[in-house]
Amino acid sequence: VLHLLLYLHQCFPKFQIIVPSGKNGMIKFYQSWCGHCMRMKADWDRLAEEESNDSVLIADVNCGEQKDLCDEQGVTGYPTIYYYVDGQEEAYTGARSFEELSDFVTENLAKSCTFDEIADCSERALKYVQKWKVKSEEEMKKEVSRLEGMVKESMKSDLKKWIKQRIKILSSGSSGDDSAGEL
């Protein structure tokens, strides 16, 4: 698990190397005295733990310790969150609860596993793709509907994430073979 700015506290130049790398991610700039920052710390740390992976980096920068970096990034209020998609920086203005941040990462930053793009699939997702690749489009739509009903229920976040990933996989299209469901 890469944790982008754990290294930043130790080595300022890493920021210039990692951020423009094209890897997607989110960085929270904070001050240790900031009440809003302290209130979101647990959710941010959980986000970093659960969402950081080979395609997404979640990190934070203590502007009390890295003032030059924060000034360079134009940080004037705390917390300030930027997200990066293919090396392009954008200000994050969404909600700051774990659930909202996690959804944002999943929907906007994480590389997708689809029927056509399996390079970013986990082993679990790859098995799911292979299972559903031979099903008809009607069967996929029915499964998406079932999963969308399930995702509204209360459950552990890792299960909810897996259900959302399955919806995304199935919604990515059919196998491309109209007769796949007839095999």
Side-chain angles (χ1 to χ4, degrees), residues 20-160:
S21 72
K23 199 169 240 199
N24 296 340
M26 290 182 91
I27 301 173
K28 176 185 71 166
F29 295 87
Y30 72 98
Q31 283 279 3
S32 55
W33 49 258
C34 168
H36 295 293
C37 301
M38 286 187 272
R39 278 191 292 283
M40 77 174 292
K41 182 178 179 2
D43 284 341
W44 190 264
D45 290 349
R46 181 176 169 200
L47 183 73
E49 178 72 27
E50 294 185 18
E51 299 292 342
S52 289
N53 59 52
D54 290 340
S55 70
V56 178
L57 301 166
I58 306 295
D60 55 15
V61 175
N62 182 337
C63 290
E65 296 174 6
Q66 297 289 332
K67 183 178 179 343
D68 290 343
L69 175 61
C70 295
D71 289 346
E72 181 181 301
Q73 295 301 306
V75 176
T76 57
Y78 307 102
T80 294
I81 301 173
Y82 291 124
Y83 66 93
Y84 300 84
V85 177
D86 298 325
Q88 298 297 310
E89 178 182 281
E90 296 289 334
Y92 175 78
T93 58
R96 295 177 177 192
S97 70
F98 170 77
E99 291 77 17
E100 295 293 330
L101 288 164
S102 181
D103 285 348
F104 181 83
V105 168
T106 300
E107 293 168 16
N108 299 287
L109 303 179
K111 299 223 177 184
S112 294
C113 171
T114 67
F115 287 113
D116 295 327
E117 293 292 327
I118 61 170
D120 295 310
C121 295
S122 66
E123 187 176 324
R124 182 183 195 187
L126 187 55
K127 287 179 183 176
Y128 191 76
V129 166
Q130 291 168 343
K131 173 185 173 183
W132 281 92
K133 198 174 204 176
V134 297
K135 306 277 185 170
S136 71
E137 208 165 318
E138 186 176 316
E139 288 172 300
M140 287 185 213
K141 286 179 183 177
K142 186 175 178 182
E143 180 67 0
V144 166
S145 180
R146 184 184 78 81
L147 292 170
E148 287 174 339
M150 286 175 60
V151 82
K152 295 174 187 171
E153 297 174 16
S154 178
M155 65 185 73
K156 291 184 177 185
S157 65
D158 59 334
L159 179 57
K160 187 171 281 212

